[in-house]
Amino acid sequence: MERTVKRSTVQSAFTLVELLVVIAIIGVLVALLLPAVQAAREAARRTQCKSSLKQMGLAALNLEGTHKHFPTGGWGWRYAGDPDRGFGSRQPGGWYFCILAYTEQNALWQLGADGNPNTITPVQRAGSKQRLQSAVSIFNCPSRRGADAYPFTNASDYFNADRPTNVGRNDYAGNAGSLSAYVLYSGPEPAGGTMPDAMASASEYGEYSVPFERPGRTTRLAGNGVVLALAEMRMAEISDGTSQTFFAGEKYIPAGEYDTSAWIGNDQGWDQGFDHDVVRWTKLPPAADGSSLAISADDAVTIYGSAHPSGCQMVNCDGSVVTVSYDADPTTFALRGSKDDGQPVSDSNL
């Protein structure tokens, strides 16, 4: 007779202790991997930021090759760009506006063109408003924010544009030199809709805002940078060498002010004339956005800086990009902002 043997089945399962151990191991792995993932993302953002600076530097060089001067700094913070007034000192818009036509943004640059360079027309005002409200991706550092438009809350309207609801922001600033300025000029006010002669108002511009005195250009000594108000900076005037002189770089913005309009260095947009929003100075070294500054509020709005932990990126006048450490030698950094000091500097001190 065949015997049937019944075997008992033992059902295995995780105990509570084993489950907690597995969870703990997963937690440790995540903790170990997360910094590496974050570092990889930041490295990618920093590379993208460097690429944007490179594009802007090459656009400036292309403009110089065509017009025989670098992008001008514009007139003042109440002026938007005017495509009918070209690229020279008669252009009220700043360096961002000037390089638009050389960064595959010619259609945006053309907005507001009415064929009348001397009169502010409704067509110009409406087109300029549309341009002011446009975000340009290469003008923003991805470590801070995307290319979006942000509320425009400044109490003053533009002289040559309808008031925008929002404006495209920027994270970079042109190099105005090693001599810093805090109080700047809104630009000469138009009379009856007629564009003024900005050169006639040169004495109204803030200290270190306009170029050194040259026959027929200005009547006073001032800034030593590459991007200055009323300036047509020629290649020959950068006697320190284009690889030894900054053209632009990342500007300092307090970490909590990226999306607000409360801070004076981040309260407008990229399309404006000479102002702290679009130009900075190298008198003081760069600072990380989240750092506690041992300088005055007036000085803070003049400096370069970055959201990158490794340092602030700057583009030279030859289109090359360098990273400046937050503990860089202050004297070396200041000299790199001057176009013609005649003193040799080394990148190893940056």
Side-chain angles (χ1 to χ4, degrees):
M1 180 177 179
E2 186 178 348
R3 297 177 62 188
T4 303
V5 179
K6 293 184 178 180
R7 297 181 180 179
S8 60
T9 303
V10 179
Q11 187 174 7
S12 62
F14 287 113
T15 65
L16 179 59
V17 173
E18 291 172 328
L19 187 60
L20 291 176
V21 169
V22 171
I23 293 174
I25 293 173
I26 293 173
V28 170
L29 291 174
V30 170
L32 291 173
L33 290 173
L34 188 57
V37 172
Q38 291 174 333
R41 288 176 176 174
E42 168 54 22
R45 290 191 289 260
R46 188 172 65 251
T47 299
Q48 184 177 339
C49 178
K50 179 179 180 179
S51 175
S52 294
L53 279 167
K54 181 79 173 178
Q55 290 180 64
M56 289 186 281
L58 293 178
L61 280 171
N62 287 335
L63 189 152
E64 193 280 333
T66 302
H67 300 282
K68 308 308 176 186
H69 62 77
F70 278 86
T72 55
W75 290 3
W77 50 268
R78 292 188 67 180
Y79 276 99
D82 184 346
D84 293 312
R85 295 183 70 85
F87 295 89
S89 59
R90 294 177 70 248
Q91 174 55 246
W95 69 275
Y96 274 111
F97 173 77
C98 291
I99 68 171
L100 275 182
Y102 294 87
T103 55
E104 300 181 349
Q105 294 283 348
N106 191 64
L108 188 59
W109 179 80
Q110 286 281 0
L111 286 175
D114 57 7
N116 192 340
N118 298 318
T119 304
I120 302 173
T121 66
V123 171
Q124 178 186 345
R125 297 184 68 90
S128 294
K129 175 184 176 181
Q130 185 178 349
R131 187 177 59 249
L132 286 164
Q133 297 185 143
S134 301
V136 179
S137 59
I138 67 168
F139 295 167
N140 291 113
C141 171
S143 289
R144 280 186 180 150
R145 53 191 170 190
D148 298 311
Y150 295 84
F152 179 71
T153 61
N154 194 289
S156 299
D157 293 335
Y158 284 82
F159 286 138
N160 62 338
D162 290 334
R163 183 177 178 84
T165 304
N166 303 297
V167 290
R169 289 273 174 82
N170 59 286
D171 290 313
Y172 308 99
N175 167 34
S178 61
L179 308 168
S180 65
Y182 173 69
V183 178
L184 296 180
Y185 183 40
S186 64
E189 187 170 356
T194 300
M195 291 291 282
D197 178 5
M199 284 295 183
S201 303
S203 61
E204 300 294 328
Y205 282 82
E207 201 173 20
Y208 312 134
S209 297
V210 295
F212 276 103
E213 181 178 2
R214 299 180 194 83
R217 304 278 284 290
T218 64
T219 58
R220 56 198 284 271
L221 296 177
N224 62 355
V226 176
V227 182
L228 297 169
L230 313 182
E232 297 177 8
M233 201 61 61
R234 294 174 173 84
M235 184 77 77
E237 296 176 78
I238 308 175
S239 58
D240 286 350
T242 55
S243 65
Q244 295 289 297
T245 308
F246 295 139
F247 168 68
E250 297 181 86
K251 66 176 185 177
Y252 169 79
I253 302 175
E257 300 292 346
Y258 297 160
D259 299 334
T260 75
S261 300
W263 195 61
I264 191 172
N266 188 50
D267 65 336
Q268 291 186 261
W270 59 264
D271 187 6
Q272 61 171 313
F274 199 81
D275 184 64
H276 298 114
D277 281 49
V278 293
V279 296
R280 296 290 170 94
W281 289 259
T282 63
K283 181 180 180 180
L284 298 172
D289 290 350
S291 60
S292 298
L293 301 181
I295 57 177
S296 68
D298 287 0
D299 283 333
V301 81
T302 70
I303 68 173
Y304 288 94
S306 173
H308 306 306
S310 58
C312 171
Q313 299 189 112
M314 308 286 294
V315 60
N316 293 315
C317 290
D318 67 348
S320 61
V321 179
V322 296
T323 297
V324 179
S325 169
Y326 297 126
D327 58 358
D329 176 57
T331 300
T332 301
F333 184 71
L335 290 173
R336 288 292 289 270
S338 172
K339 67 187 184 335
D340 53 8
D341 55 70
Q343 300 187 50
V345 293
S346 171
D347 283 354
S348 62
N349 293 327
L350 291 177

Coordinates of all heavy atoms in Angstrom, one line a residue, residues 112-161:
G112 N 9.8 97.4 -33.0 CA 9.8 98.8 -32.7 C 10.4 99.7 -33.8 O 10.3 100.9 -33.8
A113 N 10.9 99.1 -34.9 CA 11.5 99.8 -36.0 C 10.4 100.6 -36.7 O 9.4 99.9 -37.1 CB 12.2 98.9 -36.9
D114 N 10.5 101.9 -36.9 CA 9.5 102.6 -37.6 C 10.1 103.5 -38.7 O 9.4 104.3 -39.3 CB 8.7 103.5 -36.6 CG 9.6 104.4 -35.8 OD1 10.8 104.5 -36.1 OD2 9.1 105.1 -34.9
G115 N 11.4 103.4 -38.9 CA 12.1 104.2 -40.0 C 12.4 105.6 -39.5 O 12.8 106.4 -40.4
N116 N 12.1 105.9 -38.3 CA 12.2 107.3 -37.8 C 13.1 107.4 -36.6 O 12.6 107.2 -35.5 CB 10.9 107.9 -37.5 CG 10.9 109.4 -37.3 OD1 12.0 110.0 -37.0 ND2 9.8 110.1 -37.4
P117 N 14.4 107.6 -36.7 CA 15.3 107.5 -35.6 C 15.2 108.7 -34.6 O 15.8 108.6 -33.5 CB 16.7 107.4 -36.3 CG 16.5 108.2 -37.6 CD 15.1 107.8 -38.0
N118 N 14.6 109.8 -35.1 CA 14.6 111.0 -34.2 C 13.3 111.3 -33.5 O 13.3 112.2 -32.7 CB 15.0 112.2 -35.1 CG 16.4 112.1 -35.7 OD1 17.3 111.6 -35.1 ND2 16.5 112.4 -37.0
T119 N 12.3 110.5 -33.8 CA 11.0 110.7 -33.1 C 10.5 109.4 -32.5 O 10.6 108.4 -33.1 CB 10.0 111.2 -34.2 OG1 10.5 112.4 -34.8 CG2 8.6 111.5 -33.5
I120 N 10.0 109.6 -31.3 CA 9.4 108.4 -30.6 C 8.0 108.3 -31.0 O 7.1 109.1 -30.6 CB 9.5 108.6 -29.1 CG1 11.0 108.8 -28.7 CG2 9.0 107.4 -28.3 CD1 11.2 109.2 -27.2
T121 N 7.7 107.3 -31.8 CA 6.3 107.1 -32.4 C 5.6 106.0 -31.6 O 6.2 105.2 -30.9 CB 6.4 106.7 -33.9 OG1 7.0 105.4 -33.9 CG2 7.3 107.7 -34.6
P122 N 4.2 105.9 -31.8 CA 3.5 104.9 -31.2 C 3.9 103.5 -31.6 O 3.9 102.5 -30.9 CB 2.0 105.1 -31.7 CG 2.0 106.6 -31.9 CD 3.4 107.0 -32.4
V123 N 4.3 103.4 -32.9 CA 4.8 102.1 -33.4 C 6.1 101.7 -32.6 O 6.2 100.5 -32.2 CB 5.2 102.2 -34.9 CG1 5.9 100.9 -35.4 CG2 3.9 102.4 -35.7
Q124 N 7.0 102.6 -32.4 CA 8.2 102.3 -31.7 C 7.9 101.9 -30.2 O 8.4 100.9 -29.7 CB 9.1 103.5 -31.6 CG 10.4 103.3 -30.8 CD 11.3 104.5 -30.7 OE1 11.1 105.5 -31.4 NE2 12.2 104.5 -29.8
R125 N 7.0 102.7 -29.6 CA 6.7 102.4 -28.2 C 6.0 101.0 -28.0 O 6.4 100.3 -27.1 CB 5.7 103.5 -27.6 CG 6.4 104.9 -27.6 CD 5.4 105.9 -27.0 NE 5.3 105.6 -25.6 CZ 6.1 106.1 -24.6 NH1 7.0 106.9 -24.9 NH2 5.9 105.8 -23.4
A126 N 5.1 100.6 -28.9 CA 4.5 99.3 -28.8 C 5.4 98.2 -29.1 O 5.4 97.2 -28.4 CB 3.3 99.3 -29.8
G127 N 6.3 98.3 -30.1 CA 7.2 97.3 -30.5 C 8.3 97.1 -29.4 O 8.7 96.0 -29.1
S128 N 8.7 98.2 -28.8 CA 9.7 98.1 -27.7 C 9.1 97.5 -26.5 O 9.8 96.7 -25.8 CB 10.2 99.5 -27.4 OG 10.9 100.1 -28.4
K129 N 7.9 97.7 -26.2 CA 7.2 97.0 -25.1 C 7.2 95.5 -25.3 O 7.5 94.7 -24.4 CB 5.8 97.5 -24.9 CG 5.0 96.8 -23.9 CD 3.5 97.2 -23.8 CE 2.7 96.4 -22.8 NZ 1.3 96.8 -22.7
Q130 N 6.9 95.1 -26.5 CA 6.9 93.7 -26.8 C 8.3 93.1 -26.6 O 8.4 91.9 -26.1 CB 6.4 93.4 -28.3 CG 6.3 92.0 -28.7 CD 5.8 91.8 -30.1 OE1 5.3 92.8 -30.7 NE2 5.8 90.6 -30.6
R131 N 9.3 93.8 -27.0 CA 10.7 93.3 -26.9 C 11.0 93.3 -25.4 O 11.7 92.3 -24.9 CB 11.6 94.2 -27.6 CG 13.1 93.6 -27.6 CD 14.0 94.5 -28.5 NE 14.1 95.9 -28.0 CZ 13.6 96.9 -28.6 NH1 12.9 96.8 -29.8 NH2 13.7 98.1 -28.1
L132 N 10.7 94.3 -24.6 CA 11.0 94.3 -23.2 C 10.4 93.1 -22.5 O 11.0 92.6 -21.5 CB 10.4 95.6 -22.6 CG 11.1 96.9 -22.9 CD1 10.2 98.1 -22.5 CD2 12.4 97.0 -22.1
Q133 N 9.3 92.6 -22.9 CA 8.6 91.5 -22.2 C 9.1 90.2 -22.7 O 8.6 89.1 -22.2 CB 7.1 91.7 -22.5 CG 6.5 92.9 -21.8 CD 5.0 93.0 -21.9 OE1 4.3 93.5 -21.0 NE2 4.4 92.5 -23.0
S134 N 10.1 90.2 -23.6 CA 10.6 88.9 -24.1 C 11.7 88.4 -23.3 O 12.7 89.1 -23.0 CB 11.0 89.1 -25.6 OG 9.9 89.5 -26.4
A135 N 11.7 87.1 -23.0 CA 12.8 86.5 -22.3 C 13.7 85.8 -23.4 O 13.3 85.2 -24.3 CB 12.3 85.4 -21.3
V136 N 15.1 85.9 -23.2 CA 16.1 85.3 -24.1 C 16.9 84.3 -23.3 O 17.5 84.7 -22.3 CB 17.0 86.4 -24.7 CG1 18.0 85.8 -25.6 CG2 16.1 87.5 -25.4
S137 N 16.9 83.1 -23.7 CA 17.4 82.0 -22.9 C 18.9 82.2 -22.5 O 19.3 81.9 -21.4 CB 17.2 80.7 -23.6 OG 17.9 80.6 -24.8
I138 N 19.7 82.7 -23.5 CA 21.1 82.8 -23.2 C 21.5 84.0 -22.2 O 22.6 84.1 -21.8 CB 22.0 83.0 -24.5 CG1 21.7 84.3 -25.1 CG2 21.8 81.8 -25.4 CD1 22.7 84.6 -26.2
F139 N 20.5 84.8 -21.9 CA 20.7 85.9 -21.0 C 20.4 85.5 -19.5 O 20.6 86.3 -18.6 CB 19.7 87.1 -21.3 CG 20.0 87.7 -22.6 CD1 19.1 88.6 -23.2 CD2 21.2 87.5 -23.3 CE1 19.3 89.3 -24.4 CE2 21.4 88.1 -24.5 CZ 20.5 89.0 -25.1
N140 N 20.1 84.2 -19.3 CA 19.8 83.7 -18.0 C 20.7 82.5 -17.6 O 21.0 81.7 -18.4 CB 18.4 83.3 -17.8 CG 17.4 84.4 -17.8 OD1 16.6 84.6 -18.8 ND2 17.5 85.3 -16.8
C141 N 21.2 82.5 -16.4 CA 21.9 81.4 -15.8 C 21.0 80.3 -15.3 O 20.2 80.6 -14.4 CB 22.9 81.8 -14.7 SG 23.7 80.5 -13.9
P142 N 21.0 79.1 -15.8 CA 20.1 78.1 -15.3 C 20.2 77.7 -13.8 O 19.4 77.0 -13.3 CB 20.4 76.9 -16.2 CG 21.8 77.1 -16.7 CD 22.0 78.6 -16.8
S143 N 21.4 78.0 -13.2 CA 21.5 77.7 -11.8 C 20.7 78.7 -11.0 O 20.5 78.4 -9.8 CB 23.0 77.9 -11.4 OG 23.8 76.8 -11.9
R144 N 20.2 79.8 -11.6 CA 19.3 80.7 -10.9 C 17.9 80.6 -11.2 O 17.0 80.5 -10.4 CB 19.8 82.1 -11.2 CG 21.0 82.6 -10.4 CD 21.3 84.1 -10.7 NE 22.4 84.6 -9.9 CZ 23.2 85.5 -10.3 NH1 23.0 86.1 -11.5 NH2 24.2 85.9 -9.6
R145 N 17.6 80.6 -12.6 CA 16.2 80.7 -13.0 C 16.1 80.4 -14.5 O 17.1 80.4 -15.2 CB 15.6 82.1 -12.7 CG 16.5 83.2 -13.3 CD 16.1 84.6 -12.8 NE 17.1 85.6 -13.2 CZ 17.0 86.9 -12.7 NH1 16.1 87.2 -11.8 NH2 17.9 87.7 -13.1
G146 N 14.9 80.2 -14.9 CA 14.7 79.9 -16.3 C 14.5 81.2 -17.1 O 14.4 82.3 -16.5
A147 N 14.3 81.1 -18.4 CA 14.1 82.3 -19.2 C 12.6 82.6 -19.2 O 11.9 82.3 -20.1 CB 14.6 82.0 -20.7
D148 N 12.2 83.3 -18.2 CA 10.8 83.7 -18.1 C 10.8 85.3 -17.9 O 11.8 85.9 -17.6 CB 10.2 83.1 -16.8 CG 10.2 81.6 -16.9 OD1 9.7 81.1 -18.0 OD2 10.6 80.9 -16.0
A149 N 9.6 85.8 -18.1 CA 9.3 87.2 -17.8 C 8.9 87.4 -16.4 O 8.1 86.6 -15.9 CB 8.3 87.8 -18.8
Y150 N 9.3 88.5 -15.8 CA 9.0 88.7 -14.4 C 8.3 90.1 -14.2 O 8.5 91.0 -15.1 CB 10.3 88.7 -13.5 CG 10.9 87.3 -13.5 CD1 11.8 86.9 -14.5 CD2 10.7 86.4 -12.5 CE1 12.4 85.7 -14.5 CE2 11.3 85.2 -12.4 CZ 12.1 84.8 -13.5 OH 12.7 83.6 -13.4
P151 N 7.5 90.3 -13.2 CA 6.7 91.5 -13.0 C 7.6 92.7 -13.1 O 8.7 92.8 -12.4 CB 6.0 91.3 -11.7 CG 5.9 89.9 -11.5 CD 7.2 89.3 -12.1
F152 N 7.2 93.8 -13.8 CA 7.9 95.0 -13.8 C 7.2 96.0 -12.8 O 6.1 96.4 -13.1 CB 7.9 95.6 -15.2 CG 8.6 97.0 -15.4 CD1 9.9 97.0 -15.3 CD2 7.8 98.1 -15.6 CE1 10.6 98.3 -15.4 CE2 8.5 99.3 -15.7 CZ 9.9 99.4 -15.6
T153 N 7.9 96.3 -11.8 CA 7.3 97.1 -10.7 C 8.0 98.5 -10.5 O 7.6 99.2 -9.6 CB 7.3 96.4 -9.4 OG1 8.6 96.1 -9.0 CG2 6.5 95.1 -9.5
N154 N 9.0 98.8 -11.4 CA 9.7 100.0 -11.2 C 8.7 101.2 -11.4 O 7.9 101.2 -12.2 CB 10.8 100.1 -12.3 CG 11.8 101.2 -12.0 OD1 11.5 102.4 -12.1 ND2 13.0 100.8 -11.6
A155 N 8.9 102.2 -10.5 CA 8.0 103.4 -10.5 C 8.1 104.2 -11.8 O 7.2 104.9 -12.1 CB 8.2 104.2 -9.3
S156 N 9.3 104.2 -12.4 CA 9.5 105.0 -13.6 C 9.2 104.3 -14.9 O 9.6 103.1 -15.0 CB 11.0 105.5 -13.6 OG 11.3 106.2 -12.4
D157 N 8.6 104.9 -15.8 CA 8.3 104.4 -17.1 C 9.5 104.6 -18.0 O 10.4 105.4 -17.8 CB 7.1 105.0 -17.7 CG 5.8 104.7 -17.0 OD1 5.7 103.6 -16.3 OD2 4.8 105.5 -17.1
Y158 N 9.5 103.8 -19.1 CA 10.5 104.1 -20.2 C 10.2 105.3 -21.0 O 9.0 105.6 -21.2 CB 10.6 102.9 -21.1 CG 11.3 101.6 -20.5 CD1 10.6 100.8 -19.7 CD2 12.6 101.4 -20.8 CE1 11.3 99.7 -19.1 CE2 13.3 100.3 -20.3 CZ 12.6 99.4 -19.4 OH 13.2 98.3 -18.9
F159 N 11.2 106.0 -21.4 CA 11.0 107.2 -22.2 C 10.6 106.8 -23.6 O 9.8 107.6 -24.3 CB 12.4 108.0 -22.4 CG 12.7 108.8 -21.1 CD1 14.1 108.8 -20.7 CD2 11.8 109.5 -20.4 CE1 14.4 109.5 -19.6 CE2 12.2 110.2 -19.3 CZ 13.5 110.2 -18.9
N160 N 11.0 105.7 -24.2 CA 10.7 105.3 -25.6 C 10.0 104.0 -25.7 O 10.1 103.4 -26.8 CB 12.0 105.4 -26.4 CG 13.0 104.3 -25.9 OD1 13.0 103.9 -24.8 ND2 13.9 103.9 -26.8
A161 N 9.3 103.6 -24.7 CA 8.5 102.4 -24.8 C 7.3 102.4 -23.9 O 7.3 103.1 -22.8 CB 9.4 101.2 -24.4

